[in-house]
């Protein structure tokens, strides 16, 4: 998996790419902790809007918005 994040002001985006021909585990919890992920874009049309995917399919690439809880 090739994964990286970009932050601007208070918005963080996470890109995760599986560059192999096999399904691989995607350790989203290790990358973002308790934050929620919202799927913005994916190269597989049937990915759906599920948060924190646990598996990336062969050559799948996803863009997520990281939504952290705001302290009150």
């Amino acid at each position: 998996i090739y994964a990286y994040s970009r932050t601007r002001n208070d918005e963080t985006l996470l890109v995760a790419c599986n560059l192999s021909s096999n399904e691989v585990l995607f350790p989203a919890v290790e990358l973002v902790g308790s934050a929620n992920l919202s799927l913005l874009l994916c190269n597989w049309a049937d990915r759906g809007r599920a948060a924190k995917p646990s598996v990336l399919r062969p050559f799948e690439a996803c863009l997520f918005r990281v939504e952290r809880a705001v302290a009150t």
Side-chain angles (χ1 to χ4, degrees):
I1 293 179
Y2 181 73
Y4 62 94
S5 65
R6 293 291 180 261
T7 301
R8 182 173 182 211
N9 299 325
D10 58 349
E11 181 177 47
T12 300
L13 301 178
L14 172 68
V15 175
C17 306
N18 176 4
L19 302 177
S20 76
S21 59
N22 301 308
E23 286 189 349
V24 294
L25 292 177
F26 174 51
V29 173
E30 292 177 25
L31 296 173
V32 299
S34 63
N36 289 322
L37 295 178
S38 295
L39 182 66
L40 299 177
L41 184 66
C42 185
N43 66 328
W44 283 66
D46 63 344
R47 165 50 82 177
R49 301 283 177 204
K52 295 187 181 178
S54 59
V55 173
L56 289 176
R57 294 174 283 187
F59 305 107
E60 184 173 23
C62 298
L63 172 65
F64 300 95
R65 175 178 288 120
V66 179
E67 298 175 346
R68 302 193 187 280
V70 177
T72 55

